[in-house]
Amino acid sequence: MSSIALRGLVRRFGAVTTLHGIDLEIADGAFVVLVGPSGCGKSTLLRLVAGLDQPSAGQVLMNGRVVNDLGPAERDVAMVFQNYSLYPHMTVRRNLAFGLENLRVPPGQIAERVDEAARVLELTALLERKPAQLSGGQRQRVAMGRAMVRQPQAFLFDEPLSNLDAQLRASMRVEIKKLHRRNGRTLVYVTHDQVEAMTLADIIVVMRTGRIEQAGSPAEVFERPANLFVAGFIGSPAMNLRAVERHDGAFTLGDDTLRMAAELAPAPARSLQRAVLGIRPDDLRPAAGAPVHWPRLTAAAKVVEPMGSECIVTLGAGPLELTARLHGRSLPSEGDALELAVDPATLHWFDPQSERALYP
């Protein structure tokens, strides 16, 4: 298996720099997800790890060895692409075996590896079919199987589920998680979908404009985002981020839409005249029964999106809009006035100048 280290990686295309000195340590056997908006550099970074592209500066190390001058085959990694990249004229069996044939693996070992991958990925009944006869999910499983039979040191996945519908994406996430648990190999996965990142990763690496904004476990990144960008990007629905001002010993949101005593804010925020307050939609809850020191707000339900046992509500409070996720089967109606409360311990605070999070 393989640990991967990135040291000061820079990638330039002419006058445009797409990666700005990336430093990252990936432990042997880790499942690391690179996530961020389109154009943030995550796929470029994966190509540098794979050896499909060369850095303008910096080093890629595998098991402590610099591999900048090694091609993809010499790095012993297997890559799964967004578009499957299957050979249309070959059967599933030949697609799975072709890479091993090129590596001159003995025929007996090829048959054994292909049969095992087909069994694990439930492809045995499809081995004699060609890609045109398969569904999107089946094709993606074949692409995964082609990587599996290589038995590489590391797997690299570049947005492998983006062409699938929502139901297939959910089932394929489970298959990828199973794959990692079975073989324990290092896996680096690129996606723009933060739900994929949260459900799959041991470590999430959040990127923006060619830089790493934060790296940590899904819980760390969700519960303690490092800055405003991470706070707004991770979480669905997105965190409510609103400016607050301090007046008479209290922070107020909007025209007193929400008011809380300054001493309830973390120490780094108490000296600020202005701050940015973050409220997760899940942390807004009906005020009935909430402790008296919890800040409250009254807002109208502008849009209600039922989702079975919960609903997403767009709230209007004066000129402000907020989003809440409310649980229970008794749903509000559009236009209803709702009194909600929030536990001050769940609030997130940010410096409006540096955009960095303010924690106790």
Side-chain angles (χ1 to χ4, degrees):
M1 293 187 284
S2 180
S3 62
I4 300 171
L6 311 179
R7 306 278 170 77
L9 277 190
V10 175
R11 186 65 177 101
R12 302 185 187 93
F13 294 91
V16 178
T17 301
T18 56
L19 293 176
H20 302 266
I22 297 292
D23 291 300
L24 182 64
E25 300 284 338
I26 300 174
D28 186 8
F31 194 138
V32 173
V33 176
L34 309 178
V35 65
S38 297
C40 71
K42 54 190 184 294
S43 290
T44 299
L45 186 58
L46 195 73
R47 290 177 63 83
L48 295 182
V49 174
L52 298 173
D53 197 0
Q54 294 298 311
S56 305
Q59 295 178 324
V60 178
L61 296 88
M62 292 187 172
N63 289 328
R65 176 191 179 196
V66 177
V67 297
N68 286 36
D69 297 329
L70 300 184
E74 298 170 290
R75 297 188 187 192
D76 195 17
V77 297
M79 195 158 180
V80 179
F81 295 94
Q82 174 181 350
N83 59 1
Y84 319 133
S85 300
L86 302 180
Y87 297 108
H89 62 290
M90 294 183 182
T91 64
V92 169
R93 186 185 298 278
R94 284 298 316 284
N95 266 284
L96 295 175
F98 188 69
L100 297 180
E101 293 169 356
N102 286 342
L103 293 173
R104 302 186 184 280
V105 175
Q109 288 188 31
I110 293 177
E112 184 178 326
R113 292 192 197 179
V114 167
D115 288 343
E116 174 63 12
R119 183 189 66 80
V120 167
L121 294 172
E122 299 181 3
L123 294 171
T124 303
L126 308 176
L127 284 173
E128 304 311 319
R129 296 189 188 180
K130 293 184 178 179
Q133 299 171 292
L134 304 178
S135 68
Q138 290 168 338
R139 292 178 196 177
Q140 193 56 273
R141 293 210 304 274
V142 175
M144 289 169 56
R146 189 172 53 186
M148 283 176 60
V149 297
R150 291 263 314 276
Q151 298 180 353
Q153 295 296 304
F155 291 94
L156 309 177
F157 284 68
D158 190 8
E159 304 219 34
L161 308 184
S162 59
N163 288 336
L164 304 180
D165 61 38
Q167 186 173 0
L168 272 176
R169 282 201 304 273
S171 64
M172 288 305 301
R173 285 201 302 267
V174 173
E175 294 301 324
I176 292 170
K177 195 87 169 180
K178 287 180 181 177
L179 169 65
H180 181 251
R181 286 178 177 170
R182 271 192 299 265
N183 59 42
R185 305 295 172 96
T186 306
L187 197 155
V188 185
Y189 186 106
V190 162
T191 182
H192 64 275
D193 184 338
Q194 53 94 18
V195 173
E196 277 182 31
M198 292 290 290
T199 54
L200 287 173
D202 298 327
I203 298 294
I204 292 178
V205 179
V206 184
M207 296 184 64
R208 174 173 61 161
T209 60
R211 294 179 172 85
I212 293 176
E213 295 289 328
Q214 186 173 0
S217 70
E220 289 169 345
V221 173
F222 182 81
E223 294 170 5
R224 293 179 69 88
N227 55 39
L228 279 172
F229 173 78
V230 176
F233 189 80
I234 297 295
S236 180
M239 183 185 292
N240 298 290
L241 295 168
R242 301 292 184 270
V244 293
E245 294 193 11
R246 180 173 174 156
H247 296 290
D248 300 325
F251 283 102
T252 59
L253 173 66
D255 186 17
D256 266 358
T257 298
L258 182 144
R259 182 180 181 87
M260 65 177 293
E263 60 264 24
L264 294 177
R270 293 172 197 164
S271 61
L272 297 178
Q273 187 63 31
R274 294 178 178 83
V276 177
L277 182 65
I279 309 173
R280 291 280 183 203
D282 300 79
D283 294 329
L284 284 167
R285 60 192 69 184
V292 294
H293 70 282
W294 285 18
R296 285 163 162 72
L297 65 90
T298 299
K302 296 179 68 174
V303 178
V304 178
E305 301 173 73
M307 301 177 67
S309 61
E310 62 183 30
C311 65
I312 308 299
V313 183
T314 301
L315 304 164
L320 292 176
E321 279 195 352
L322 299 169
T323 302
R325 189 200 303 269
L326 303 180
H327 299 272
R329 298 187 183 277
S330 178
L331 304 181
S333 300
E334 293 182 3
D336 284 355
L338 303 176
E339 186 180 10
L340 302 174
V342 59
D343 182 350
T346 65
L347 296 174
H348 300 262
W349 297 80
F350 303 88
D351 186 312
Q353 301 301 318
S354 68
E355 299 191 352
R356 303 301 298 175
L358 304 170
Y359 292 113

